[in-house]
Amino acid sequence: MRVCVAGAAGAFGQKHLDAISKIEGVQVTSIVGREAESTKAAAEVRGIGHWTLDLAESLSRDDVDSVILSTPTQMHAAQAIQCLQAGKHVLVEIPMADNLADSRRLVAVQQETGLVAMAGHVRRFNPSHQWIHNKIKAGELSLQQLDVQTYFFRRTNTNALGKPRSWTDHLLWHHACHTVDLFQYQTGATAAQVYGLQGPHHPELGIALDMSIGMKAPSGALCTLSLSFNNDGPLGTFFRYICDNGTYIARYDDLVDGYENPIDLSDVAISNNGIELIDREFFSAIQEGREPNSSVAQCLPAMETLDRIEKCFID
């Protein structure tokens, strides 16, 4: 399996390159970037034979079977469609698009081509959330409320590596997308009710730096989500699962109960790295000719729910 990684010099592009290096039978044959110096350096460090600033150049190569897109959010839908129309399977980082219309168009193109198109909803793959999902499916847990905090300190346009960004991130279509999809995945249904509130727009970034989102599943389970780019403290996303049979707190790849006792996740998956697990699913689905978990079609309901939440905002 030969893959191109676009956005390879960025924070998540590097995570995917690290993950791929642990997967047998997969070779990165091309990378795409926005700046020549950093892209060339990324290729040289890892011994990747081809680099370019033009995605179309990589898509024209015979030694590229699939593409992982870790590019700016605003480019995701158009680039994913470009990959599919070039005959390449594609894994596009979350979100698949920053609006519902483009999300639906991407799903339609995937269905037309029959190729694998997967969205990077990594929470489905983190062992902590997999453990909860398995318990719910087995009837051992019933979710009452999912309480989530997504907190960063990002009042300037910088990425996860602290470097200047050429594009603007978004709390709703990027960060809330993780939790909206996860809640619907864990409850097995699209949210029956939603609400959304946002704070004032930042004068320079042009986006709201604070949001409050609520969802209710048909089962009655609730999700309460708080998001902020104004948080000057511990950063990241923290998930509290309040269930009928215990409370559990997930912090990325770790899981504890309500009293901070660790939960053993060693037998959940082959790795405790969610990025590696999502990449493994992508390549396995291609090789096996099947729809992957987190296909763009499976994730479309999350984009529809985000659209409903956005309509709640009153500036």
Side-chain angles (χ1 to χ4, degrees):
M1 182 64 58
R2 300 164 300 178
V3 62
C4 164
V5 177
F12 260 78
Q14 291 294 307
K15 289 179 183 290
H16 281 289
L17 289 173
D18 289 341
I20 292 167
S21 70
K22 299 173 182 173
I23 304 174
E24 187 176 353
V26 179
Q27 178 186 6
V28 180
T29 52
S30 176
I31 63 172
V32 182
R34 293 170 69 98
E35 298 177 353
E37 185 177 350
S38 60
T39 308
K40 179 181 178 182
E44 290 177 347
V45 165
R46 297 180 183 266
I48 299 168
H50 177 262
W51 66 271
T52 179
L53 305 185
D54 183 7
L55 177 61
E57 181 180 328
S58 288
L59 295 179
S60 68
R61 295 177 63 90
D62 293 335
D63 62 352
V64 170
D65 305 307
S66 58
V67 181
I68 294 178
L69 296 173
S70 295
T71 51
T73 294
Q74 292 83 354
M75 304 170 74
H76 283 181
Q79 288 186 330
I81 289 170
Q82 183 183 1
C83 292
L84 292 171
Q85 291 178 334
K88 313 296 184 182
H89 306 282
V90 64
L91 166 57
V92 56
E93 259 302 338
I94 195 170
M96 69 173 86
D98 61 358
N99 62 78
L100 180 56
D102 285 346
S103 300
R104 286 174 170 164
R105 182 165 174 250
L106 172 55
V107 172
V109 173
Q110 183 280 317
Q111 292 174 343
E112 290 169 5
T113 63
L115 296 167
V116 171
M118 188 173 170
H121 290 246
V122 69
R123 299 292 168 258
R124 294 185 178 212
F125 296 87
N126 292 124
S128 52
H129 300 296
Q130 278 201 55
W131 189 92
I132 295 287
H133 189 72
N134 293 340
K135 293 288 185 183
I136 291 173
K137 287 186 66 177
E140 298 174 24
L141 288 179
S142 178
L143 182 62
Q144 309 299 308
Q145 181 173 184
L146 177 59
D147 186 81
V148 184
Q149 298 174 328
T150 294
Y151 291 158
F152 299 94
F153 190 65
R154 195 171 290 171
R155 295 176 182 171
T156 58
N157 208 13
T158 55
N159 67 14
L161 297 176
K163 297 180 180 180
R165 239 188 191 133
S166 59
W167 55 283
T168 304
D169 202 358
H170 202 281
L171 279 176
L172 179 67
W173 287 97
H174 177 189
H175 296 286
C177 187
H178 281 291
T179 298
V180 169
D181 180 72
L182 179 66
F183 179 65
Q184 296 186 160
Y185 181 62
Q186 300 292 42
T187 59
T190 300
Q193 296 175 249
V194 302
Y195 79 79
L197 301 171
Q198 67 175 356
H201 283 202
H202 188 278
E204 296 176 5
L205 298 180
I207 58 172
L209 301 190
D210 291 277
M211 287 184 186
S212 177
I213 290 171
M215 294 178 284
K216 184 176 182 178
S219 65
L222 301 178
C223 178
T224 304
L225 170 60
S226 171
L227 308 105
S228 182
F229 280 160
N230 277 317
N231 175 67
D232 192 5
L235 307 179
T237 303
F238 314 97
F239 304 82
R240 179 181 290 268
Y241 286 93
I242 301 172
C243 304
D244 62 337
N245 187 21
T247 292
Y248 302 92
I249 303 166
R251 301 183 183 97
Y252 294 101
D253 296 315
D254 298 320
L255 185 68
V256 298
D257 67 17
Y259 297 95
E260 296 289 336
N261 297 307
I263 304 296
D264 182 11
L265 303 175
S266 60
D267 62 348
V268 174
I270 193 172
S271 168
N272 65 354
N273 182 331
I275 301 297
E276 178 185 339
L277 294 175
I278 201 169
D279 288 352
R280 286 182 178 276
E281 173 68 0
F282 177 53
F283 297 122
S284 294
I286 294 170
Q287 292 166 340
E288 297 166 12
R290 61 172 173 82
E291 180 182 10
N293 183 10
S294 190
S295 69
V296 292
Q298 291 177 11
C299 296
L300 182 59
M303 312 308 285
E304 293 170 338
T305 299
L306 288 170
D307 183 70
R308 291 163 59 201
I309 293 168
E310 187 173 55
K311 288 179 168 62
C312 296
F313 294 155
I314 301 175
D315 295 325

